[in-house]
Amino acid sequence: PCTRCANEWGARVRGTPFVVAMAPRRPLVQEGVLNVALGERGTYVINKQTPNRQIWLSSPVSGPWRYAFDPDSGEWVNTRNGHLLFALLSEELSALTSFPLDITDLAEQGR
């Protein structure tokens, strides 16, 4: 599910102002870790934690977060306050790039 989400995200933003805002940096996936460098805006690090079935996010805006997959909703849910991974990413990346980017429906890729 995580790989499908990443591929869909890439396909959706290709050729948009979001990609221009990231240029010349491109998302880099290495050993299960996705790095999205936004230059002066900071870097997102998304790390799949296979043993405990979580995703860890390091955000330049809101800091570190941990998410557990909820099979009933098909969402990655924050383990502290219950917010949703794709909602947070949509909000923060839209604000950082000044491009409306809604990736909340990517949670459906995990179902």
Side-chain angles (χ1 to χ4, degrees):
C2 294
T3 303
R4 280 186 289 169
C5 292
N7 290 340
E8 174 63 25
W9 180 7
R12 190 174 303 177
V13 300
R14 206 169 282 122
T16 67
F18 177 77
V19 172
V20 173
M22 290 178 58
R25 298 157 299 277
R26 294 288 181 255
L28 172 66
V29 179
Q30 194 169 26
E31 296 184 24
V33 178
L34 171 64
N35 288 282
V36 181
L38 297 173
E40 297 171 356
R41 297 174 185 103
T43 299
Y44 283 86
V45 180
I46 302 172
N47 187 356
K48 182 172 70 170
Q49 297 293 314
T50 304
N52 56 7
R53 303 179 78 177
Q54 291 184 340
I55 290 179
W56 293 1
L57 167 68
S58 175
S59 162
V61 176
S62 59
W65 298 102
R66 292 183 183 188
Y67 298 87
F69 187 72
D70 175 15
D72 293 331
S73 68
E75 299 274 3
W76 288 95
V77 181
N78 180 262
T79 58
R80 281 189 286 177
N81 69 9
H83 75 261
L84 305 177
L85 171 63
F86 292 114
L88 178 77
L89 287 172
S90 292
E91 180 182 323
E92 289 186 6
L93 290 169
S94 293
L96 284 174
T97 63
S98 301
F99 174 75
L101 180 66
D102 182 1
I103 58 172
T104 55
D105 64 316
L106 291 182
E108 295 174 10
Q109 299 287 325
R111 291 186 185 172

